[in-house]
Amino acid sequence: MFISANRAGARRSASRTLGAGSVERVVGVGGVVTAAALGGGAAVGAYRLLNARPPGGRERWVRKNNRGREVTLLEGPAVTLGIAAASLLAPGLPARLRLAGCGAALGAGAVGLYDDLNERGAAKGFRGHLSALARGEVTTGAVKILGIGATGLAAGALVRRDPLDRVLAGLVVAGAANVVNLFDLRPGRATKAAVLGAAGGVLRESPGGLLTAAALGAAAALLPEDLGEQAMLGDCGANALGAALGVAAAARASRPGLVGLAAVLAALTAASEKVSFTKVIAATPPLRALDEWGRVPKQGDA
């Protein structure tokens, strides 16, 4: 009887109740590594295939970065596909979280890609696009904002059960997609910011940690191309990465946690309208050192 009680207690300790109201198994380190490897392998494979035959021709995907170097936007679709594939294939993910992660990455990535390839209108920033929309001008940025909002709400409805929690989760998913994109202004910055902001979720070894690992694995696998100024995430990759991380965070957070996450993401979005993150990073030595780590040196640098 004593042994049976111990076994029952062990089974209870090996499960945890998430905010979504479901009991899910705690996954091991092996599952996290597998999810990251699946994300990374799928992203690299997609990138090679897309580079071999770029849809619409290579020139359609070429842009100039902040230093005037030509880079390809194909990293974004590759990371998006890597996250989606790993969400579907990683062992241990509950069905709703699997569908939400895949759908959020594809949905946010699709509207981001639309903005990348068809950008129009002079409006900039969240407020600028909404102001233009209020005047009757539909910018590609406004389409992206509305599309990411709808994607976030759909994903939130999958990972939460309470109506209020679903709305809060939707705000977290959409907010995370936008905030990661705010950092995609220098080579590798968005991926580094995502790793710093979400790596703690992997350590919890929950099903949400599996999705986090899959998303970070996909982005990290193509970080060398990003740092080497050969490719960039663009809105497509940054939005997909942020949305998937938002789903993982929203799935495991309590209601106060959801409120806190939504508030922090909203504050960062509002701050970006007033403050240049690039200037803040440049003025803060530890952040500047991390931001510049791994990049191609500027001409004349050692």
Side-chain angles (χ1 to χ4, degrees):
M1 181 180 297
F2 179 74
I3 294 175
S4 298
N6 278 346
R7 287 177 177 172
R11 285 195 296 270
R12 285 193 298 270
S13 65
S15 301
R16 65 179 52 172
T17 302
L18 300 183
S22 59
V23 177
E24 297 176 305
R25 291 178 291 111
V26 176
V27 299
V29 175
V32 170
V33 173
T34 299
L38 284 170
V44 170
Y47 183 69
R48 289 176 178 172
L49 289 173
L50 290 170
N51 254 325
R53 299 186 65 178
R58 192 168 302 276
E59 290 302 314
R60 187 185 187 195
W61 300 89
V62 173
R63 297 292 186 276
K64 289 187 177 181
N65 68 4
N66 64 297
R67 295 206 295 189
R69 298 192 178 194
E70 290 190 345
V71 297
T72 179
L73 289 169
L74 290 171
E75 179 187 353
V79 168
T80 300
L81 293 173
I83 296 171
S87 298
L88 293 176
L89 298 175
L93 276 175
R96 284 179 171 269
L97 186 56
R98 191 183 298 280
L99 182 58
C102 178
L106 292 177
V111 292
L113 181 61
Y114 172 76
D115 193 21
D116 283 335
L117 298 180
N118 305 284
E119 185 175 3
R120 63 176 182 270
K124 297 294 181 183
F126 193 85
R127 185 172 58 181
H129 290 299
L130 292 183
S131 297
L133 187 61
R135 297 192 303 268
E137 179 187 355
V138 182
T139 65
T140 53
V143 173
K144 184 180 69 171
I145 290 171
L146 295 174
I148 289 176
T151 297
L153 290 174
L158 282 170
V159 298
R160 308 295 295 209
R161 293 180 179 175
D162 183 86
L164 177 57
D165 287 351
R166 287 178 170 181
V167 173
L168 290 171
L171 293 175
V172 169
V173 174
N178 181 63
V179 166
V180 171
N181 190 39
L182 292 176
F183 285 94
D184 190 37
L185 296 175
R186 296 293 185 271
R189 180 182 292 176
T191 298
K192 293 175 185 176
V195 170
L196 287 176
V202 176
L203 300 178
R204 296 184 183 184
E205 297 184 1
S206 67
L210 286 176
L211 181 57
T212 301
L216 294 181
L222 293 177
L223 184 58
E225 282 74 14
D226 203 319
L227 291 172
E229 299 188 37
Q230 300 173 30
M232 64 184 294
L233 280 173
D235 289 2
C236 175
N239 286 156
L241 174 59
L245 295 177
V247 169
R252 63 174 173 260
S254 62
R255 179 173 293 176
L258 286 175
V259 172
L261 285 170
V264 169
L265 292 168
L268 287 171
T269 300
S272 71
E273 301 285 338
K274 301 290 185 181
V275 180
S276 167
F277 290 175
T278 295
K279 290 182 178 179
V280 172
I281 291 170
T284 310
L287 293 179
R288 184 174 67 245
L290 177 61
D291 189 46
E292 294 176 352
W293 171 79
R295 287 186 192 152
V296 174
K298 297 179 181 179
Q299 189 173 4
D301 290 350

Short mmCIF file of all heavy atoms in Angstrom, two decimals, residues 114-166:
data_model
loop_
_atom_site.label_atom_id
_atom_site.label_comp_id
_atom_site.label_asym_id
_atom_site.label_seq_id
_atom_site.Cartn_x
_atom_site.Cartn_y
_atom_site.Cartn_z
N TYR A 114 3.53 39.56 -46.25
CA TYR A 114 2.78 40.49 -47.10
C TYR A 114 3.34 41.91 -46.95
O TYR A 114 3.52 42.62 -47.95
CB TYR A 114 1.30 40.45 -46.71
CG TYR A 114 0.47 41.51 -47.39
CD1 TYR A 114 0.10 41.38 -48.73
CD2 TYR A 114 0.05 42.65 -46.70
CE1 TYR A 114 -0.66 42.35 -49.35
CE2 TYR A 114 -0.71 43.62 -47.31
CZ TYR A 114 -1.06 43.47 -48.65
OH TYR A 114 -1.80 44.45 -49.27
N ASP A 115 3.63 42.31 -45.73
CA ASP A 115 4.19 43.64 -45.50
C ASP A 115 5.61 43.74 -46.06
O ASP A 115 6.00 44.75 -46.65
CB ASP A 115 4.20 43.93 -44.00
CG ASP A 115 4.46 45.40 -43.69
OD1 ASP A 115 4.25 46.25 -44.58
OD2 ASP A 115 4.88 45.70 -42.56
N ASP A 116 6.40 42.67 -45.90
CA ASP A 116 7.78 42.67 -46.42
C ASP A 116 7.83 42.89 -47.92
O ASP A 116 8.66 43.64 -48.44
CB ASP A 116 8.47 41.34 -46.09
CG ASP A 116 8.93 41.25 -44.64
OD1 ASP A 116 9.15 42.30 -44.02
OD2 ASP A 116 9.07 40.12 -44.14
N LEU A 117 6.94 42.21 -48.64
CA LEU A 117 7.01 42.20 -50.10
C LEU A 117 6.19 43.30 -50.77
O LEU A 117 6.43 43.61 -51.94
CB LEU A 117 6.55 40.84 -50.64
CG LEU A 117 7.38 39.62 -50.22
CD1 LEU A 117 6.81 38.36 -50.84
CD2 LEU A 117 8.84 39.79 -50.61
N ASN A 118 5.24 43.87 -50.03
CA ASN A 118 4.34 44.84 -50.66
C ASN A 118 4.22 46.14 -49.89
O ASN A 118 3.21 46.84 -50.02
CB ASN A 118 2.94 44.22 -50.79
CG ASN A 118 2.94 42.89 -51.52
OD1 ASN A 118 3.06 42.85 -52.73
ND2 ASN A 118 2.83 41.80 -50.78
N GLU A 119 5.20 46.47 -49.10
CA GLU A 119 5.10 47.63 -48.22
C GLU A 119 4.72 48.88 -49.00
O GLU A 119 5.32 49.22 -50.01
CB GLU A 119 6.42 47.88 -47.49
CG GLU A 119 6.33 48.99 -46.47
CD GLU A 119 7.60 49.15 -45.66
OE1 GLU A 119 8.58 48.42 -45.94
OE2 GLU A 119 7.63 50.00 -44.77
N ARG A 120 3.71 49.58 -48.48
CA ARG A 120 3.29 50.83 -49.09
C ARG A 120 2.78 51.77 -48.00
O ARG A 120 2.36 51.34 -46.94
CB ARG A 120 2.18 50.61 -50.13
CG ARG A 120 0.89 50.06 -49.58
CD ARG A 120 -0.20 49.97 -50.65
NE ARG A 120 -1.44 49.47 -50.10
CZ ARG A 120 -1.77 48.19 -50.03
NH1 ARG A 120 -0.93 47.28 -50.49
NH2 ARG A 120 -2.93 47.82 -49.51
N GLY A 121 2.79 53.06 -48.31
CA GLY A 121 2.36 54.05 -47.34
C GLY A 121 3.53 54.60 -46.56
O GLY A 121 4.51 53.89 -46.30
N ALA A 122 3.45 55.85 -46.19
CA ALA A 122 4.55 56.50 -45.47
C ALA A 122 4.44 56.32 -43.96
O ALA A 122 5.35 56.69 -43.22
CB ALA A 122 4.58 57.99 -45.81
N ALA A 123 3.33 55.79 -43.47
CA ALA A 123 3.11 55.64 -42.04
C ALA A 123 4.13 54.68 -41.43
O ALA A 123 4.48 53.68 -42.04
CB ALA A 123 1.70 55.15 -41.77
N LYS A 124 4.57 55.00 -40.22
CA LYS A 124 5.52 54.16 -39.50
C LYS A 124 5.02 53.95 -38.08
O LYS A 124 4.38 54.81 -37.49
CB LYS A 124 6.91 54.80 -39.46
CG LYS A 124 7.55 55.00 -40.83
CD LYS A 124 7.87 53.68 -41.50
CE LYS A 124 8.53 53.89 -42.85
NZ LYS A 124 8.78 52.61 -43.55
N GLY A 125 5.34 52.81 -37.52
CA GLY A 125 4.97 52.54 -36.14
C GLY A 125 3.51 52.16 -35.98
O GLY A 125 2.68 52.35 -36.87
N PHE A 126 3.21 51.62 -34.81
CA PHE A 126 1.86 51.14 -34.51
C PHE A 126 0.86 52.29 -34.62
O PHE A 126 -0.18 52.17 -35.28
CB PHE A 126 1.87 50.55 -33.09
CG PHE A 126 0.66 49.74 -32.76
CD1 PHE A 126 0.58 48.41 -33.09
CD2 PHE A 126 -0.41 50.33 -32.08
CE1 PHE A 126 -0.55 47.65 -32.78
CE2 PHE A 126 -1.53 49.58 -31.76
CZ PHE A 126 -1.60 48.24 -32.11
N ARG A 127 1.17 53.40 -33.97
CA ARG A 127 0.25 54.54 -33.99
C ARG A 127 0.10 55.12 -35.38
O ARG A 127 -1.00 55.52 -35.79
CB ARG A 127 0.75 55.61 -33.02
CG ARG A 127 -0.19 56.80 -32.86
CD ARG A 127 0.25 57.71 -31.75
NE ARG A 127 1.61 58.21 -31.98
CZ ARG A 127 2.25 59.01 -31.14
NH1 ARG A 127 1.67 59.37 -30.00
NH2 ARG A 127 3.47 59.44 -31.41
N GLY A 128 1.18 55.17 -36.13
CA GLY A 128 1.13 55.74 -37.47
C GLY A 128 0.21 54.96 -38.39
O GLY A 128 -0.57 55.54 -39.15
N HIS A 129 0.29 53.63 -38.34
CA HIS A 129 -0.55 52.80 -39.20
C HIS A 129 -2.02 52.90 -38.81
O HIS A 129 -2.90 52.95 -39.67
CB HIS A 129 -0.09 51.35 -39.15
CG HIS A 129 1.23 51.11 -39.81
ND1 HIS A 129 1.44 51.36 -41.15
CD2 HIS A 129 2.41 50.64 -39.32
CE1 HIS A 129 2.70 51.05 -41.46
NE2 HIS A 129 3.30 50.61 -40.37
N LEU A 130 -2.30 52.93 -37.50
CA LEU A 130 -3.69 53.05 -37.06
C LEU A 130 -4.25 54.43 -37.39
O LEU A 130 -5.44 54.56 -37.74
CB LEU A 130 -3.79 52.77 -35.56
CG LEU A 130 -3.51 51.33 -35.12
CD1 LEU A 130 -3.72 51.18 -33.62
CD2 LEU A 130 -4.40 50.34 -35.88
N SER A 131 -3.42 55.47 -37.31
CA SER A 131 -3.87 56.81 -37.67
C SER A 131 -4.20 56.88 -39.16
O SER A 131 -5.19 57.48 -39.57
CB SER A 131 -2.79 57.85 -37.33
OG SER A 131 -2.56 57.89 -35.94
N ALA A 132 -3.35 56.24 -39.98
CA ALA A 132 -3.61 56.20 -41.42
C ALA A 132 -4.90 55.44 -41.72
O ALA A 132 -5.70 55.84 -42.57
CB ALA A 132 -2.44 55.54 -42.14
N LEU A 133 -5.13 54.36 -40.97
CA LEU A 133 -6.35 53.58 -41.17
C LEU A 133 -7.58 54.40 -40.81
O LEU A 133 -8.61 54.33 -41.48
CB LEU A 133 -6.28 52.31 -40.32
CG LEU A 133 -7.41 51.28 -40.52
CD1 LEU A 133 -7.43 50.77 -41.94
CD2 LEU A 133 -7.23 50.13 -39.53
N ALA A 134 -7.47 55.23 -39.75
CA ALA A 134 -8.59 56.08 -39.35
C ALA A 134 -8.91 57.12 -40.42
O ALA A 134 -10.06 57.56 -40.54
CB ALA A 134 -8.26 56.77 -38.04
N ARG A 135 -7.91 57.49 -41.22
CA ARG A 135 -8.12 58.45 -42.31
C ARG A 135 -8.61 57.77 -43.59
O ARG A 135 -8.81 58.41 -44.61
CB ARG A 135 -6.82 59.21 -42.62
CG ARG A 135 -6.29 60.06 -41.47
CD ARG A 135 -5.18 60.98 -41.96
NE ARG A 135 -4.08 60.25 -42.57
CZ ARG A 135 -3.00 59.82 -41.92
NH1 ARG A 135 -2.91 60.04 -40.59
NH2 ARG A 135 -2.04 59.18 -42.55
N GLY A 136 -8.74 56.45 -43.54
CA GLY A 136 -9.20 55.71 -44.71
C GLY A 136 -8.08 55.17 -45.57
O GLY A 136 -8.34 54.59 -46.63
N GLU A 137 -6.82 55.30 -45.12
CA GLU A 137 -5.67 54.79 -45.87
C GLU A 137 -5.28 53.43 -45.29
O GLU A 137 -4.90 53.33 -44.13
CB GLU A 137 -4.49 55.75 -45.77
CG GLU A 137 -3.25 55.25 -46.50
CD GLU A 137 -2.02 56.12 -46.25
OE1 GLU A 137 -2.16 57.17 -45.59
OE2 GLU A 137 -0.94 55.74 -46.72
N VAL A 138 -5.39 52.40 -46.11
CA VAL A 138 -5.05 51.04 -45.65
C VAL A 138 -3.60 50.75 -46.04
O VAL A 138 -3.31 50.46 -47.20
CB VAL A 138 -5.99 49.99 -46.26
CG1 VAL A 138 -5.64 48.60 -45.74
CG2 VAL A 138 -7.44 50.32 -45.93
N THR A 139 -2.70 50.85 -45.09
CA THR A 139 -1.29 50.53 -45.33
C THR A 139 -1.06 49.04 -45.14
O THR A 139 -1.87 48.34 -44.52
CB THR A 139 -0.39 51.31 -44.38
OG1 THR A 139 -0.64 50.87 -43.03
CG2 THR A 139 -0.65 52.81 -44.46
N THR A 140 0.05 48.55 -45.67
CA THR A 140 0.38 47.15 -45.44
C THR A 140 0.64 46.89 -43.96
O THR A 140 0.38 45.79 -43.46
CB THR A 140 1.62 46.75 -46.27
OG1 THR A 140 2.69 47.66 -45.99
CG2 THR A 140 1.32 46.77 -47.75
N GLY A 141 1.14 47.91 -43.27
CA GLY A 141 1.35 47.77 -41.83
C GLY A 141 0.04 47.60 -41.09
O GLY A 141 -0.05 46.85 -40.11
N ALA A 142 -1.01 48.30 -41.53
CA ALA A 142 -2.32 48.17 -40.90
C ALA A 142 -2.88 46.76 -41.13
O ALA A 142 -3.49 46.16 -40.23
CB ALA A 142 -3.28 49.22 -41.44
N VAL A 143 -2.69 46.25 -42.34
CA VAL A 143 -3.12 44.88 -42.63
C VAL A 143 -2.41 43.90 -41.70
O VAL A 143 -3.03 42.96 -41.17
CB VAL A 143 -2.84 44.52 -44.10
CG1 VAL A 143 -3.12 43.04 -44.37
CG2 VAL A 143 -3.68 45.40 -45.03
N LYS A 144 -1.13 44.15 -41.48
CA LYS A 144 -0.35 43.28 -40.61
C LYS A 144 -0.86 43.35 -39.17
O LYS A 144 -1.02 42.32 -38.50
CB LYS A 144 1.13 43.66 -40.67
CG LYS A 144 2.03 42.74 -39.86
CD LYS A 144 3.48 43.17 -39.96
CE LYS A 144 3.71 44.47 -39.23
NZ LYS A 144 5.15 44.80 -39.13
N ILE A 145 -1.15 44.56 -38.69
CA ILE A 145 -1.63 44.72 -37.32
C ILE A 145 -2.95 43.98 -37.12
O ILE A 145 -3.14 43.25 -36.15
CB ILE A 145 -1.80 46.22 -36.99
CG1 ILE A 145 -0.42 46.89 -36.87
CG2 ILE A 145 -2.57 46.40 -35.68
CD1 ILE A 145 -0.49 48.40 -36.76
N LEU A 146 -3.87 44.15 -38.06
CA LEU A 146 -5.17 43.49 -37.95
C LEU A 146 -5.02 41.97 -38.07
O LEU A 146 -5.68 41.21 -37.35
CB LEU A 146 -6.11 44.02 -39.03
CG LEU A 146 -6.49 45.51 -38.91
CD1 LEU A 146 -7.31 45.93 -40.12
CD2 LEU A 146 -7.27 45.76 -37.63
N GLY A 147 -4.15 41.53 -38.99
CA GLY A 147 -3.95 40.10 -39.18
C GLY A 147 -3.33 39.44 -37.96
O GLY A 147 -3.73 38.34 -37.56
N ILE A 148 -2.34 40.11 -37.36
CA ILE A 148 -1.70 39.55 -36.17
C ILE A 148 -2.67 39.55 -35.00
O ILE A 148 -2.69 38.61 -34.18
CB ILE A 148 -0.42 40.33 -35.84
CG1 ILE A 148 0.66 40.03 -36.88
CG2 ILE A 148 0.09 39.99 -34.44
CD1 ILE A 148 1.92 40.82 -36.70
N GLY A 149 -3.51 40.59 -34.91
CA GLY A 149 -4.52 40.61 -33.85
C GLY A 149 -5.48 39.44 -33.96
O GLY A 149 -5.79 38.77 -32.97
N ALA A 150 -5.95 39.18 -35.17
CA ALA A 150 -6.87 38.05 -35.39
C ALA A 150 -6.17 36.72 -35.11
O ALA A 150 -6.75 35.81 -34.50
CB ALA A 150 -7.39 38.08 -36.82
N THR A 151 -4.90 36.61 -35.53
CA THR A 151 -4.14 35.39 -35.27
C THR A 151 -3.97 35.16 -33.78
O THR A 151 -4.11 34.03 -33.29
CB THR A 151 -2.75 35.49 -35.95
OG1 THR A 151 -2.92 35.57 -37.36
CG2 THR A 151 -1.89 34.28 -35.60
N GLY A 152 -3.67 36.24 -33.05
CA GLY A 152 -3.50 36.13 -31.61
C GLY A 152 -4.76 35.66 -30.91
O GLY A 152 -4.72 34.79 -30.03
N LEU A 153 -5.90 36.23 -31.29
CA LEU A 153 -7.17 35.84 -30.66
C LEU A 153 -7.51 34.38 -30.96
O LEU A 153 -8.02 33.66 -30.09
CB LEU A 153 -8.28 36.76 -31.14
CG LEU A 153 -8.22 38.20 -30.63
CD1 LEU A 153 -9.30 39.05 -31.29
CD2 LEU A 153 -8.37 38.24 -29.11
N ALA A 154 -7.24 33.94 -32.20
CA ALA A 154 -7.51 32.54 -32.55
C ALA A 154 -6.62 31.60 -31.74
O ALA A 154 -7.09 30.57 -31.23
CB ALA A 154 -7.28 32.33 -34.05
N ALA A 155 -5.35 31.95 -31.61
CA ALA A 155 -4.44 31.11 -30.83
C ALA A 155 -4.83 31.12 -29.35
O ALA A 155 -4.79 30.08 -28.67
CB ALA A 155 -3.00 31.60 -31.00
N GLY A 156 -5.22 32.29 -28.84
CA GLY A 156 -5.64 32.38 -27.44
C GLY A 156 -6.85 31.52 -27.15
O GLY A 156 -6.97 30.92 -26.07
N ALA A 157 -7.77 31.45 -28.12
CA ALA A 157 -8.97 30.63 -27.94
C ALA A 157 -8.63 29.14 -27.89
O ALA A 157 -9.37 28.35 -27.29
CB ALA A 157 -9.95 30.90 -29.07
N LEU A 158 -7.52 28.75 -28.49
CA LEU A 158 -7.12 27.34 -28.48
C LEU A 158 -6.45 26.93 -27.18
O LEU A 158 -6.62 25.80 -26.72
CB LEU A 158 -6.18 27.06 -29.66
CG LEU A 158 -6.82 26.92 -31.04
CD1 LEU A 158 -5.75 26.89 -32.13
CD2 LEU A 158 -7.68 25.66 -31.10
N VAL A 159 -5.66 27.83 -26.59
CA VAL A 159 -4.86 27.43 -25.43
C VAL A 159 -5.50 27.79 -24.09
O VAL A 159 -5.02 27.36 -23.04
CB VAL A 159 -3.44 28.04 -25.50
CG1 VAL A 159 -2.71 27.54 -26.72
CG2 VAL A 159 -3.48 29.56 -25.48
N ARG A 160 -6.59 28.57 -24.11
CA ARG A 160 -7.27 28.91 -22.87
C ARG A 160 -8.76 28.57 -22.97
O ARG A 160 -9.30 28.45 -24.08
CB ARG A 160 -7.12 30.40 -22.55
CG ARG A 160 -5.70 30.92 -22.57
CD ARG A 160 -4.82 30.32 -21.50
NE ARG A 160 -5.22 30.67 -20.16
CZ ARG A 160 -4.37 30.76 -19.13
NH1 ARG A 160 -3.07 30.53 -19.31
NH2 ARG A 160 -4.81 31.06 -17.93
N ARG A 161 -9.42 28.44 -21.82
CA ARG A 161 -10.83 28.07 -21.81
C ARG A 161 -11.73 29.21 -21.36
O ARG A 161 -12.83 29.38 -21.90
CB ARG A 161 -11.04 26.86 -20.90
CG ARG A 161 -10.40 25.59 -21.44
CD ARG A 161 -10.63 24.42 -20.51
NE ARG A 161 -10.02 23.19 -21.04
CZ ARG A 161 -9.98 22.04 -20.40
NH1 ARG A 161 -10.51 21.93 -19.19
NH2 ARG A 161 -9.41 20.99 -20.95
N ASP A 162 -11.31 29.98 -20.38
CA ASP A 162 -12.12 31.09 -19.90
C ASP A 162 -12.12 32.22 -20.94
O ASP A 162 -11.08 32.55 -21.50
CB ASP A 162 -11.55 31.60 -18.57
CG ASP A 162 -12.39 32.71 -17.99
OD1 ASP A 162 -13.36 32.42 -17.29
OD2 ASP A 162 -12.08 33.89 -18.28
N PRO A 163 -13.29 32.85 -21.22
CA PRO A 163 -13.35 33.91 -22.23
C PRO A 163 -12.39 35.06 -21.98
O PRO A 163 -11.74 35.55 -22.91
CB PRO A 163 -14.82 34.37 -22.15
CG PRO A 163 -15.56 33.18 -21.66
CD PRO A 163 -14.64 32.49 -20.71
N LEU A 164 -12.28 35.52 -20.73
CA LEU A 164 -11.36 36.60 -20.43
C LEU A 164 -9.92 36.17 -20.65
O LEU A 164 -9.10 36.91 -21.21
CB LEU A 164 -11.54 37.07 -18.98
CG LEU A 164 -10.58 38.18 -18.51
CD1 LEU A 164 -10.67 39.41 -19.41
CD2 LEU A 164 -10.86 38.53 -17.05
N ASP A 165 -9.59 34.94 -20.22
CA ASP A 165 -8.24 34.43 -20.43
C ASP A 165 -7.91 34.32 -21.92
O ASP A 165 -6.78 34.54 -22.34
CB ASP A 165 -8.08 33.05 -19.79
CG ASP A 165 -8.00 33.13 -18.26
OD1 ASP A 165 -7.90 34.26 -17.74
OD2 ASP A 165 -8.06 32.08 -17.61
N ARG A 166 -8.91 33.98 -22.73
CA ARG A 166 -8.68 33.88 -24.17
C ARG A 166 -8.31 35.23 -24.76
O ARG A 166 -7.42 35.33 -25.60
CB ARG A 166 -9.94 33.33 -24.85
CG ARG A 166 -10.16 31.85 -24.60
CD ARG A 166 -11.45 31.37 -25.25
NE ARG A 166 -11.53 29.90 -25.23
CZ ARG A 166 -12.53 29.20 -25.73
NH1 ARG A 166 -13.56 29.83 -26.30
NH2 ARG A 166 -12.52 27.88 -25.68
#
